[in-house]
Amino acid sequence: MSGSARPAVRAVFRIGPWVPGSLLPVAVGLVGVAASLLVLQDVLALVGAALSVAAAVRVRSAVPWLLVALLAVGQLLRDPTGLDASLPALVLALHVLVVLVLLARSVPVRSRLQLAALGPAALTTGLVQVPAQVVAAALLVVGGRLQILPVASTIGGSLLVLLAGLLIVPRRADREA
Amino acid sequence: MSTPTAQRWHRRGGGAALGMLALVILGVGLGFGRADVALLGLPLAATAAVALRRPVGGASAAITLTAEDDAIVAEVRIDGATGTELVVVQAAAYEEPPTTVVVSPRRAAALTARLPLLHGGPQEVLRVGGQVVAAGGDLVQHLDPRIARTTIAPARERMTSLLLPHRLTNRPGGHAARRLGDGLDFRDLAPFTPGDRLRRIDWRATARSPRPESELIVRRMDATAEAAAVVVLDSRDDVGSVVVEWGSNRPARKGVSSLDLARPAVVAIAATYLDAGDRVAFHDLMSAGAGTRSGGGRRKLEQIRAVVNRTVPRAGASFRAPVLPTAAVVYLVSTFLDEDVAALAVLWRSAGHRVVAVDVLPEPSLDGADEAHRLAHRVLQLERDDRLDRLRRVGVTVVAWRDADRDLLLRQAERYRGRR
């Protein structure tokens, strides 16, 4: 039968600022590729990128956990004396990747995701990252890779800004919704 | 709000997998003396620990519908569980595929959607389901689906012309009858006879009369009488204006349907006769119990409105012709897509009733129709046109309710006396 030209009626709820639900798996893929390029080298980087794409497509399978394991193995294979500023970035990327995977498993791809709904997850991520980043910076300082005062002030300032943003933005979006 | 039947939280398994992975990374890092690797496992372990939190209680959904002039406002409320982080709401309007939104619990407690008002009568407007998510996405509780139905009353219309039956009843009413009575229309002057009321004596006519002085002259008036109208609804099918949807009959896509036209038609016809002080009966051809006996007054109109509001298409129901009162004007409201309804109109006409065939088939739209659809529709239309022509030939007044000139057609029929 030919389709009707009449547009379908849809229940559209007003939810304020939103993003498509498909953004979460896409973000999983992007963060996965970025982390792979940051940590893995040569063939492993390609494997990591491929796993990132697979994790984005099959986010509810075990592929995302394989990617996390691969990134950890990649860090293990790196020279421990060659620690640099990529360590805090990797700590952040791996954590964000895991949070995004858990969210993407719950949110349907074809949905509208209210920005304010990401508030609790973002807040928890921020709170966990504060001590993690401090420990990462401490490791770098102990290894003589960074000067303690500039690092501490930079990380502290960044985390304060991040924390303030995490506390304010979701609430404002929720109020506007 | 009713209590949901399945208030159970289910684990997706992601939290456990993440916890094990975090422990392995931490163990490997510590085992190899690599603090940087162990550090990678710390945030993962913290996230897995968050997934261990258990929310409390069960969530449930409730829907409230409010009908406005041209829209229905649906308010959806999902609440009940403490510790919920996300609420996934799937809402399907008018049996269409659902749309999904993911919102915060606070927003889920007050979701509002504005839906177009598509049809009259009883209908399913919104179906809501979904799930609430907690523990960083690892715990899920499915919501019991909720279906919101409402009944939209037909618009209050009136006809401007009133088609009377060939013969009025003996009860006093709002129309001039051909017999003597107490109406307002002057009939003639006549000598006073026992039984005449004294106030009917015309003293001037008596004074002018050349008859003996003892004989009084009275003014005689026409009686008033009421008409009996019967509205018969054929609720067998509810076809829409979009022809390609005649098979699937999807509410959101079929366009204006025949029952959307029929319900206001029945109410308008009944209201016009009842306003004039006549008696009206309503019958549904497909449901012997769904009808009202002949009666008058405002309560009768409300009774008919209530019955018509509840009318739904009954495709498989048995066809049952009502018994009509003598000398009634019969309004047969149908799409006339079937032969037996037209045969009924002919039968009633031949029994001496004045019959009006109210055609409620909507203006057809062939958008999206392929060649086979167009051909089938053309054949149906030709058969229907033949049927309606045959009705006209036997003296049945045919009026298309969607026609803007329907009142004009009824006025013409009112003037036409024709054969009885």
Side-chain angles (χ1 to χ4, degrees):
Chain A
M1 178 188 281
S2 312
S4 167
R6 194 181 176 84
V9 177
R10 295 193 177 278
V12 179
F13 295 108
R14 282 173 290 178
I15 58 170
W18 59 275
V19 291
S22 56
L23 200 67
L24 288 175
V26 170
V28 167
L30 290 177
V31 173
V33 168
S36 301
L37 295 178
L38 196 67
V39 181
L40 307 174
Q41 285 155 14
D42 305 330
V43 181
L44 276 183
L46 286 175
V47 174
L51 272 180
S52 301
V53 174
V57 176
R58 304 291 301 273
V59 76
R60 295 184 186 196
S61 65
V63 177
W65 308 131
L66 277 179
L67 175 64
V68 171
L70 180 69
L71 290 172
V73 169
Q75 181 65 22
L76 189 65
L77 294 178
R78 290 174 83 183
D79 180 10
T81 58
L83 286 180
D84 55 12
S86 66
L87 179 64
L90 181 63
V91 170
L92 178 65
L94 208 62
H95 187 203
V96 169
L97 179 69
V98 164
V99 171
L100 285 174
V101 167
L102 286 176
L103 281 174
R105 289 159 76 100
S106 313
V107 174
V109 174
R110 298 180 67 176
S111 67
R112 293 187 297 140
L113 172 60
Q114 186 198 18
L115 276 179
L118 296 174
L123 185 62
T124 311
T125 307
L127 291 176
V128 170
Q129 275 298 304
V130 171
Q133 291 295 329
V134 170
V135 173
L139 280 178
L140 291 177
V141 169
V142 169
R145 296 288 167 186
L146 290 173
Q147 298 296 317
I148 188 160
L149 277 178
V151 168
S153 60
T154 306
I155 291 177
S158 306
L159 290 176
L160 278 175
V161 169
L162 178 70
L163 195 59
L166 290 173
L167 287 170
I168 292 168
V169 171
R171 280 168 172 71
R172 177 166 290 180
D174 209 11
R175 267 205 303 277
E176 285 171 0
Chain B
M1 192 191 310
S2 57
T3 310
T5 56
Q7 292 182 335
R8 292 182 56 192
W9 290 95
H10 303 277
R11 281 209 180 271
R12 287 186 188 276
L18 178 63
M20 284 190 286
L21 195 58
L23 287 178
V24 169
I25 292 172
L26 276 170
V28 167
L30 293 175
F32 282 88
R34 294 287 299 272
D36 56 328
V37 175
L39 178 60
L40 292 181
L42 272 178
L44 309 193
T47 307
V50 168
L52 292 176
R53 288 184 306 181
R54 284 201 75 88
V56 180
S60 61
I63 312 170
T64 310
L65 298 179
T66 311
E68 295 183 353
D69 288 343
D70 58 347
I72 295 178
V73 177
E75 289 174 24
V76 177
R77 183 180 174 84
I78 296 168
D79 53 13
T82 308
T84 302
E85 291 169 7
L86 295 175
V87 181
V88 182
V89 184
Q90 290 169 323
Y94 294 111
E95 301 173 30
E96 286 291 299
T99 54
T100 307
V101 290
V102 183
V103 293
S104 64
R106 187 177 156 192
R107 171 55 49 186
L111 285 168
T112 306
R114 197 175 175 84
L115 302 167
L117 189 56
L118 297 180
H119 302 289
Q123 57 195 292
E124 178 187 317
V125 177
L126 192 65
R127 188 181 288 250
V128 170
Q131 55 203 32
V132 289
V133 180
D138 192 38
L139 276 173
V140 171
Q141 184 183 118
H142 291 280
L143 292 167
D144 279 1
R146 286 278 179 271
I147 299 173
R149 295 187 174 87
T150 191
T151 301
I152 303 297
R156 292 173 186 268
E157 294 178 42
R158 292 285 190 278
M159 298 191 302
T160 55
S161 58
L162 203 64
L163 206 59
L164 293 179
H166 295 309
R167 198 155 54 84
L168 297 171
T169 66
N170 288 329
R171 292 184 177 141
H175 309 289
R178 290 177 185 169
R179 55 193 164 76
L180 289 173
D182 288 329
L184 296 174
D185 291 343
F186 175 73
R187 184 184 179 100
D188 60 3
L189 294 169
F192 183 87
T193 55
D196 282 341
R197 294 188 176 183
L198 292 178
R199 65 185 176 89
R200 291 284 182 209
I201 297 172
D202 189 331
W203 295 107
R204 288 185 183 179
T206 302
R208 284 198 300 269
S209 170
R211 298 177 186 218
E213 288 181 1
S214 60
E215 192 169 294
L216 298 171
I217 303 296
V218 293
R219 292 168 64 85
R220 296 198 300 182
M221 315 299 276
D222 278 337
T224 58
E226 65 175 16
V230 179
V231 188
V232 181
L233 174 63
D234 169 19
S235 64
R236 182 175 355 207
D237 41 30
D238 186 22
V239 292
S241 58
V242 180
V243 174
V244 291
E245 288 292 327
W246 281 12
S248 54
N249 223 14
R250 287 177 290 185
R253 296 166 192 254
K254 68 180 180 182
V256 176
S257 72
S258 56
L259 277 182
D260 289 339
L261 293 176
R263 287 191 192 94
V266 170
V267 174
I269 293 164
T272 309
Y273 279 93
L274 291 169
D275 283 352
D278 296 321
R279 298 174 76 79
V280 178
F282 169 71
H283 296 283
D284 187 339
L285 274 181
M286 295 301 130
S287 174
T292 66
R293 296 167 69 177
S294 183
R298 182 170 291 275
R299 287 186 64 186
K300 176 56 67 177
L301 179 59
E302 292 309 315
Q303 198 181 356
I304 291 174
R305 275 175 66 89
V307 174
V308 171
N309 275 357
R310 291 196 300 268
T311 303
V312 290
R314 295 179 178 88
S318 59
F319 179 96
R320 194 163 174 181
V323 178
L324 302 178
T326 52
V329 56
V330 185
Y331 284 84
L332 181 54
V333 182
S334 173
T335 56
F336 296 97
L337 287 169
D338 296 292
E339 182 56 39
D340 40 8
V341 179
L344 199 60
V346 174
L347 181 73
W348 286 336
R349 181 69 194 96
S350 55
H353 296 287
R354 193 165 201 176
V355 181
V356 182
V358 180
D359 173 17
V360 287
L361 187 71
E363 186 72 44
S365 162
L366 289 167
D367 289 349
D370 55 21
E371 199 54 41
H373 268 109
R374 288 173 189 275
L375 185 62
H377 178 254
R378 176 101 179 107
V379 171
L380 269 177
Q381 278 288 35
L382 287 172
E383 286 179 354
R384 205 179 82 94
D385 290 348
D386 278 351
R387 207 168 287 137
L388 294 176
D389 282 344
R390 202 171 68 245
L391 291 181
R392 287 189 191 96
R393 282 199 297 275
V394 297
V396 173
T397 306
V398 178
V399 176
W401 192 257
R402 64 171 189 271
D403 196 338
D405 294 333
R406 65 187 182 221
D407 281 326
L408 192 66
L409 289 169
L410 283 171
R411 272 201 292 278
Q412 282 174 354
E414 194 182 343
R415 285 199 293 272
Y416 172 72
R417 288 290 168 188
R419 66 187 175 87
R420 298 186 177 181

